[in-house]
Amino acid sequence: MEGWQRAFVLHSRPFSETSLLLDLFSESEGRVRVLAKGARSRRSQLKGALQPFTPLLVRWSGRGEVKTLRNAEAVSLALPLSGITLYCGLYVNELLSRVLQQEFPFSDLFFDYLNCLQSLASSHGTPEPALRRFELALLGHLGYGVDFLHCAGSGEPVSDDMTYSYREERGFIASLVLNQRSFTGRQLRALCEREFPDAESLRAAKRFTRMALKPYLGGKPLKSQELFRQFTPMKKPDVAGEEPDEAAE
């Protein structure tokens, strides 16, 4: 890659005594793995910049699976995530690391990611609406198309008070059965609009994104879930891939 482009660090780990292996999420190339030579050395000017949630301008070179980082500059200070919003940010980063193919462009998703981080950083209430919106955006960019506004069986518009059962690869079918796959038309409309006016619509959105993301995540648990479980001062937000919380449902 010849020119500079915007990027964020999704994940980093030590590589040799002085280097870092980074997963970047870039505006033009999507998820890219790069080797930052010497970034762990005491004299490295990159050490402070190559952190999650710091907006970067980067350049790399190479044709293999692992590129070589040539330059990186912090555009601004890291977005101020702390406490529960920090764990939410780590969850979003892990989600991208797990589901995105390497070097597949997701320019629009890059801005959805940036908007999510900004929403988390400025959040004064629950961070869950920002998470749900990002999960729905991610599903859309992955090609997971679902019609929230029409019954997949009849093609008729959903009715606010009618109950619909979610079916993979089909959509929502009118049903009288009430279970974890059941949604009211009002909840489906909230999912379509990505607006969650109450706790009920947020819980419904969590149930849907959990089911829809599961095939992409596979059976391997998310490490960020373990961090959520260790975070006890506040109730953890609901993240995709978890088992249903019967008390909350």
Side-chain angles (χ1 to χ4, degrees):
M1 187 197 70
E2 297 296 332
W4 294 84
Q5 68 171 289
R6 290 182 284 189
F8 284 89
V9 173
L10 295 178
H11 181 262
S12 68
R13 63 178 181 269
F15 187 90
S16 77
E17 293 184 359
T18 60
S19 300
L20 286 172
L21 192 62
L22 305 171
D23 272 351
L24 300 178
F25 184 37
S26 64
E27 180 179 357
S28 300
E29 303 295 328
R31 185 169 70 87
V32 181
R33 184 159 293 172
V34 302
L35 178 63
K37 296 180 179 180
R40 298 180 65 207
S41 66
R42 293 182 178 179
R43 297 181 180 180
S44 174
Q45 297 179 352
L46 296 176
K47 186 183 300 184
L50 298 178
Q51 302 293 327
F53 318 123
T54 300
L56 301 171
L57 285 175
V58 298
R59 294 176 61 195
W60 65 76
S61 64
R63 296 184 178 181
E65 182 177 343
V66 179
K67 318 298 184 185
T68 299
L69 185 69
R70 294 303 181 192
N71 303 95
E73 296 180 2
V75 177
S76 66
L77 296 176
L79 289 161
L81 303 184
S82 62
I84 201 166
T85 59
L86 174 61
Y87 291 111
C88 290
L90 294 174
Y91 161 70
V92 170
N93 279 4
E94 186 176 10
L95 198 56
L96 289 177
S97 296
R98 287 279 296 273
V99 306
L100 294 187
Q101 298 178 17
Q102 286 199 52
E103 299 179 54
F104 192 92
F106 284 100
S107 297
D108 291 338
L109 180 60
F110 181 85
F111 290 99
D112 287 321
Y113 172 75
L114 178 58
N115 288 336
C116 179
L117 294 186
Q118 291 174 333
S119 294
L120 292 174
S122 61
S123 175
H124 298 293
T126 175
E128 290 178 24
L131 294 182
R132 302 292 85 82
R133 292 186 187 106
F134 179 75
E135 290 164 348
L136 289 167
L138 175 60
L139 285 164
H141 291 298
L142 292 174
Y144 189 93
V146 62
D147 187 349
F148 294 108
L149 298 183
H150 294 87
C151 174
S154 66
E156 295 181 357
V158 298
S159 174
D160 281 358
D161 297 320
M162 179 69 75
T163 301
Y164 300 85
S165 180
Y166 173 65
R167 310 284 179 84
E168 287 89 349
E169 300 181 359
R170 289 194 64 188
F172 297 90
I173 307 290
S175 173
L176 297 178
V177 177
L178 298 179
N179 55 30
Q180 290 294 320
R181 293 178 173 270
S182 301
F183 300 84
T184 66
R186 185 176 292 105
Q187 292 166 346
L188 296 182
R189 200 175 304 281
L191 280 164
C192 180
E193 297 172 354
R194 299 182 190 178
E195 293 293 337
F196 313 106
D198 49 41
E200 179 185 359
S201 62
L202 271 175
R203 286 196 296 268
K206 178 257 294 188
R207 284 192 289 119
F208 172 74
T209 57
R210 182 174 55 211
M211 289 187 289
L213 284 168
K214 189 173 183 179
Y216 296 97
L217 295 171
K220 185 179 178 181
L222 292 165
K223 294 181 180 178
S224 52
Q225 289 182 8
E226 296 301 321
L227 294 176
F228 277 123
R229 294 189 182 100
Q230 296 171 18
F231 187 76
T232 56
M234 297 178 63
K235 179 186 180 293
K236 65 185 175 79
D238 296 307
V239 297
E242 292 187 309
E243 293 302 315
D245 181 350
E246 295 180 0
E249 303 294 348

